[in-house]
Amino acid sequence: MESREENASISMSGDGFLDKDQSIVTRRIQRLCFHLQPAPESASCGDLEVLNCAGRAKIVVNTDRLSEYMRGKHRDIQQRVYDYFNSRPELQTPLEISKDEHRELCMRQLMGLVREAGIRPFRYILEDPGKYFAILEAVGGVDMSLGIKMGVQYSLWGGSVLNLGTKKHQDKFFEGIDNMEYPGCFAMTELHHGSNVQGLQTVATFDPLKDEFIIDTPNDGAIKWWIGNAAVHGKFATVFAKLILPTHDAKGISDMGVHAFIVPIRDMKTHETLPGVEIHDCGHKVGLNGVDNGALRFRSVRIPRDNLLNRFGDVSRDGKYTSSLPSISKRFAATLGELVGGRVGLAYSSVGVLKISVIIAVRYSLLRQQFGPPKQPEISILDYQSQQHKLIPMLASAYAYHFATLHLIDKYSEMKKTHDEQLIGDVHTLSAGLKAYVTSYTAKSLSICREACGGHGYAAVNRFGSLRNDHDIFQTFEGDNTVLLQQVAGYLLKQYQEKFRGGTLTVTWNYLRVSMNSYLSQPNPVTARWEGEDHLRDPKFQLDAFRYRTSRLLQSVAVRLRKHSKTLGSFGAWNRCLNHLLTLAESHIESVILEKFIDAVQSCPDPSSQAALKLICDSYALDRIWNDIGTYRNVDYVAPNKAKAIHKLSEYLSFQVKNVAKELVDAFDIPDYVTRAPIGMQATEEAYSQYTQFAGFEN
Ligand SMILES: Cc1cc2nc3c(=O)[nH]c(=O)nc-3n(C[C@H](O)[C@H](O)[C@H](O)COP(=O)(O)OP(=O)(O)OC[C@H]3O[C@@H](n4cnc5c(N)ncnc54)[C@H](O)[C@@H]3O)c2cc1C
């Protein structure tokens, strides 16, 4: 093992990168060393002691400098959120709390944030979306129910008014939404229709005599269901309904498609439910019980014509419909396109949850000692290769997703300013893909983290239970993940067709244009055998591998779809290829994530932080390639020995990341009073005493 340690110092030059001028001979020796020494997997009990090499890491991480780079522009506002809640213990959510108390507390938390701490998230949705998402992530760390309640108020209810309405709506509602005088809901989902929004059945019929719309729930399947803020606090709802206009033809009516309407649901003074509106409680949920989800039924509820959110379609006083968009499907796409902000927020907040759970699991794994070589002290459980295998890819992923979601926020902010059409398409797809990919990953990770902390991971005070329950639904709301990934695949296929029609590809998909031709030819039999560490750690190789896989998947699914659609029709063919399409979408999103991670490594101005990020990035990339090694082997993209070398190096990098895991989780810069798990304290030596105090023991 000693020689492996030496090798680590050979392989990393001072700043962590391979020295480009290294002689061929040195490289050859280095490669030989790597192959000759035993991998950590073969560690005997004696080796375990050597593996416990805290203080022997070859990379030195300056936590402050790394976290400064990670923080981004909006850390100050997050600190204000943390400080406010830290100074108000009565606003912190206790471990045991009833549904009703939790809902009231959550409302007080939001009111406190807005009115007492003076943090007004709503205005940032317009002025600086990055700041808004930073606040959202921070409040989600305080209590995820609070994050979602805030999201319902500002992204969903507020966002629908800002993005689907026009100036008259903004003038009338902005202030009340901003200062919480107008708590509201976003009522899209119905009992019978969730993902299939075009199937909604609620109707809004125009009455030209009274210049009003009449909102109706035509059957119980059309009851609005799961509506956040509806059961207790909401005064208004943005209701999605089919706009029906009277006509003079034989049919008598015309369906203009789904539109959004502002419907008052409770009296502003008495808070009584308004006539014609029936509200029930969706009840106790698996998580997020601080949010009051309710069900709404409407019976001939009249609202002024002005309450139609008319950015994409309007009705005149005499009942004429006008729109700048030519068809129902175009209007529908434009309406949904304006709502992507919610997905951006969920993807970003999900990374926040992943960071918290990785922080707790890594710190505890460093603290916890079990077994060890005979007659020697016990060792940290993070020194077990199996524990590294569980946690290190997660730590690396948290870094990778951090940069990817920051990129998404930048693109989203740019889109809001420029309204550039290509960018709208890109952001729509990227937000759908990252939301689906990241939330699914975090949901799985939460269970692994809990298990990695053994029995103490099961104590509610150590957070995994509530994080897991609260986060779980991130996979479903704001678009079910399986449905969202199909949108990504659909967009890629559209781009693919454009390519073969000679059209241009948009920026995010540029790599397809650049690389499609070369990727679709046979893999290069020479590079398929390159197995040196310098090659495997070259970002060009790593990105090439990810993109090669995406391009192959795209090309092969396009061929299959064409073939099956002849016999099964387009819907049947899509369904026949569905799993293939989902894999394609995930593969594409992984390519984007890696690309953004590599960019972040290359842009890092501090050499020691850059070296640390490079190590994590390599670990991330090789772990993912190894996970899918069967695919690469099947097409001879990697030869058998190269596959082995990838595995060996991936395990070794994981081991190196482990050596600086404490610094890497500290660099997330989330204070103990936010992570709140006694077993996950930054000063790990205090963890057990915090935990015993919690149970009632005096220290
Ligand atoms: C806690 C909570 C809060 C919510 N808040 C709100 C809110 O404030 N406002 C609001 O309007 N809605 C809200 N919702 C509703 C939420 O947006 C929907 O649940 C979501 O859109 C999914 O719809 P669904 O539940 O009908 O699932 P379905 O669409 O019925 O999906 C069920 C399963 O079928 C699969 N499936 C569906 N379609 C396809 C397909 N085409 N291809 C492959 N698989 C498919 C899905 O992957 C999923 O596994 C909330 C839901 C919850 C649970």
Side-chain angles (χ1 to χ4, degrees):
M1 281 313 289
E2 218 36 60
S3 65
R4 178 170 276 280
E5 289 296 307
E6 279 160 21
N7 188 39
S9 59
I10 293 171
S11 67
M12 307 295 290
S13 61
D15 64 358
F17 284 113
L18 280 165
D19 182 351
K20 296 244 165 37
D21 300 329
Q22 221 172 11
S23 74
I24 294 168
V25 175
T26 315
R27 283 193 208 174
R28 186 71 197 131
I29 293 171
Q30 173 198 329
R31 235 170 273 158
L32 282 172
C33 281
F34 183 74
H35 288 301
L36 288 173
Q37 65 202 312
E41 81 212 16
S42 59
S44 65
C45 270
D47 294 325
L48 283 173
E49 192 198 3
V50 182
L51 284 176
N52 184 8
C53 54
R56 297 179 65 184
K58 300 299 168 195
I59 278 204
V60 178
V61 179
N62 181 319
T63 304
D64 289 341
R65 286 212 290 265
L66 180 56
S67 69
E68 199 184 315
Y69 181 62
M70 296 280 292
R71 266 178 200 155
K73 321 181 258 221
H74 300 302
R75 187 60 173 77
D76 292 354
I77 191 95
Q78 293 194 317
Q79 194 59 48
R80 266 181 70 195
V81 172
Y82 294 151
D83 288 345
Y84 172 68
F85 285 103
N86 198 33
S87 71
R88 296 292 307 270
E90 74 280 12
L91 286 184
Q92 282 159 26
T93 312
L95 276 183
E96 290 175 51
I97 184 167
S98 73
K99 164 175 73 62
D100 293 340
E101 284 170 336
H102 197 175
R103 287 171 171 185
E104 285 317 308
L105 174 63
C106 206
M107 188 62 168
R108 283 203 308 279
Q109 290 170 332
L110 187 53
M111 289 292 216
L113 182 83
V114 171
R115 295 192 179 170
E116 195 177 86
I119 294 173
R120 294 287 186 88
F122 195 38
R123 52 201 55 199
Y124 301 129
I125 286 191
L126 282 179
E127 290 166 13
D128 189 351
K131 204 165 190 168
Y132 173 78
F133 293 124
I135 298 170
L136 193 67
E137 188 208 355
V139 300
V142 172
D143 181 336
M144 206 121 54
S145 285
L146 172 61
I148 297 306
K149 192 153 181 96
M150 181 183 131
V152 169
Q153 173 69 8
Y154 297 121
S155 302
L156 296 181
W157 151 235
S160 62
V161 174
L162 288 184
N163 295 314
L164 304 179
T166 47
K167 187 169 179 308
K168 63 182 176 188
H169 302 111
Q170 288 151 19
D171 291 347
K172 188 167 170 189
F173 289 98
F174 188 95
E175 199 53 36
I177 295 174
D178 186 40
N179 66 20
M180 289 293 297
E181 255 173 58
Y182 297 168
C185 323
F186 177 90
M188 182 179 268
T189 305
E190 295 176 356
L191 179 63
H192 284 187
H193 289 97
S195 302
N196 184 7
V197 182
Q198 263 176 313
L200 297 182
Q201 294 178 54
T202 303
V203 285
T205 311
F206 184 60
D207 174 0
L209 292 178
K210 297 206 164 167
D211 197 22
E212 288 174 341
F213 285 104
I214 308 162
I215 310 290
D216 265 306
T217 304
N219 56 62
D220 282 357
I223 294 173
K224 294 289 178 188
W225 209 274
W226 283 129
I227 309 307
N229 247 352
V232 183
H233 296 124
K235 296 254 198 269
F236 296 90
T238 292
V239 175
F240 288 80
K242 290 192 287 190
L243 194 167
I244 307 292
L245 287 180
T247 54
H248 299 296
D249 57 15
K251 241 173 118 196
I253 55 161
S254 176
D255 176 352
M256 308 311 295
V258 173
H259 287 64
F261 302 82
I262 296 179
V263 182
I265 57 171
R266 287 193 176 88
D267 188 275
M268 284 305 290
K269 287 202 183 95
T270 63
H271 203 63
E272 290 292 315
T273 305
L274 291 172
V277 182
E278 191 181 343
I279 306 180
H280 293 279
D281 195 329
C282 290
H284 199 260
K285 304 189 290 287
V286 172
L288 294 180
N289 278 303
V291 185
D292 51 315
N293 292 92
L296 299 162
R297 179 155 59 185
F298 301 101
R299 290 211 169 90
S300 300
V301 175
R302 288 181 165 270
I303 55 167
R305 181 169 54 92
D306 264 352
N307 283 21
L308 164 67
L309 292 169
N310 59 344
R311 178 160 162 214
F312 296 118
D314 205 358
V315 175
S316 62
R317 176 67 191 90
D318 58 353
K320 295 238 160 46
Y321 185 82
T322 50
S323 171
S324 55
L325 299 165
S327 63
I328 288 185
S329 62
K330 285 245 159 34
R331 289 194 287 273
F332 181 71
T335 302
L336 292 194
E338 283 303 324
L339 305 173
V340 296
R343 273 174 212 154
V344 177
L346 280 191
Y348 190 61
S349 298
S350 181
V351 182
V353 176
L354 182 62
K355 285 181 195 162
I356 291 179
S357 55
V358 170
I359 289 173
I360 299 169
V362 164
R363 287 187 183 152
Y364 178 72
S365 299
L366 286 164
L367 163 83
R368 185 72 170 176
Q369 313 262 312
Q370 297 286 324
F371 303 103
K375 300 199 178 86
Q376 289 189 43
E378 290 184 313
I379 62 163
S380 294
I381 55 174
L382 196 58
D383 284 322
Y384 289 102
Q385 193 188 44
S386 52
Q387 193 81 348
Q388 290 162 28
H389 185 69
K390 286 174 200 167
L391 297 182
I392 301 304
M394 248 181 246
L395 172 57
S397 298
Y399 271 84
Y401 304 165
H402 170 87
F403 293 115
T405 49
L406 279 185
H407 165 75
L408 172 63
I409 287 175
D410 283 349
K411 288 283 146 204
Y412 176 79
S413 307
E414 193 185 328
M415 177 196 88
K416 282 282 165 200
K417 277 202 196 97
T418 61
H419 300 285
D420 176 84
E421 264 199 30
Q422 279 199 339
L423 197 56
I424 291 173
D426 277 4
V427 170
H428 184 87
T429 310
L430 195 59
S431 60
L434 275 175
K435 184 270 184 188
Y437 187 87
V438 171
T439 60
S440 292
Y441 187 89
T442 300
K444 286 183 208 103
S445 301
L446 281 161
S447 284
I448 298 171
C449 284
R450 198 299 294 153
E451 186 267 337
C453 294
H456 297 315
Y458 200 61
V461 69
N462 289 321
R463 300 285 310 273
F464 294 119
S466 61
L467 288 173
R468 189 169 59 184
N469 288 351
D470 288 344
H471 177 277
D472 191 69
I473 195 66
F474 280 37
Q475 300 174 96
T476 301
F477 58 23
E478 297 278 351
D480 170 85
N481 284 357
T482 308
V483 175
L484 292 182
L485 286 175
Q486 290 179 63
Q487 292 177 13
V488 177
Y491 200 73
L492 287 169
L493 280 158
K494 207 170 131 209
Q495 297 284 315
Y496 177 80
Q497 283 165 355
E498 295 280 316
K499 178 188 153 55
F500 286 103
R501 272 194 236 120
T504 52
L505 294 169
T506 58
V507 179
T508 311
W509 285 266
N510 221 5
Y511 78 86
L512 292 173
R513 175 177 49 198
V514 176
S515 51
M516 206 65 173
N517 293 334
S518 55
Y519 286 150
L520 295 184
S521 54
Q522 279 305 305
N524 181 331
V526 179
T527 52
R529 284 179 169 67
W530 287 357
E531 56 194 77
E533 184 174 337
D534 46 355
H535 166 67
L536 299 181
R537 298 189 68 176
D538 183 347
K540 263 182 69 201
F541 158 68
Q542 296 163 0
L543 254 187
D544 191 82
F546 278 50
R547 290 171 170 181
Y548 175 80
R549 183 184 54 177
T550 311
S551 303
R552 294 276 310 200
L553 285 163
L554 178 55
Q555 196 259 353
S556 53
V557 85
V559 171
R560 286 187 64 208
L561 281 171
R562 208 174 309 130
K563 184 181 123 199
H564 288 306
S565 57
K566 285 181 195 141
T567 48
L568 301 173
S570 57
F571 186 88
W574 187 268
N575 199 22
R576 175 66 71 90
C577 301
L578 198 44
N579 291 331
H580 193 157
L581 289 158
L582 298 176
T583 311
L584 163 68
E586 285 171 343
S587 174
H588 167 66
I589 292 300
E590 285 187 347
S591 303
V592 176
I593 292 171
L594 180 65
E595 183 192 325
K596 295 303 147 201
F597 200 174
I598 289 169
D599 287 351
V601 175
Q602 289 169 350
S603 314
C604 181
D606 171 52
S608 80
S609 303
Q610 191 181 50
L613 290 173
K614 167 80 175 128
L615 170 66
I616 311 165
C617 185
D618 288 344
S619 176
Y620 171 80
L622 293 182
D623 176 69
R624 287 297 195 282
I625 294 173
W626 175 248
N627 280 345
D628 210 9
I629 201 70
T631 305
Y632 292 110
R633 280 289 304 115
N634 278 346
V635 291
D636 282 330
Y637 183 82
V638 296
N641 281 346
K642 183 169 186 166
K644 273 190 213 150
I646 290 170
H647 186 214
K648 245 182 167 179
L649 184 57
S650 169
E651 285 197 336
Y652 181 52
L653 294 179
S654 169
F655 164 74
Q656 281 208 319
V657 173
K658 182 235 53 160
N659 284 340
V660 283
K662 177 173 167 33
E663 292 83 343
L664 294 179
V665 295
D666 288 353
F668 287 143
D669 194 23
I670 302 181
D672 282 348
Y673 55 81
V674 177
T675 51
R676 290 200 302 282
I679 62 168
M681 295 284 117
Q682 183 162 6
T684 36
E685 62 281 1
E686 281 178 27
Y688 278 131
S689 64
Q690 291 259 350
Y691 194 32
T692 47
Q693 265 179 42
F694 168 79
F697 290 95
E698 284 181 23
N699 288 320

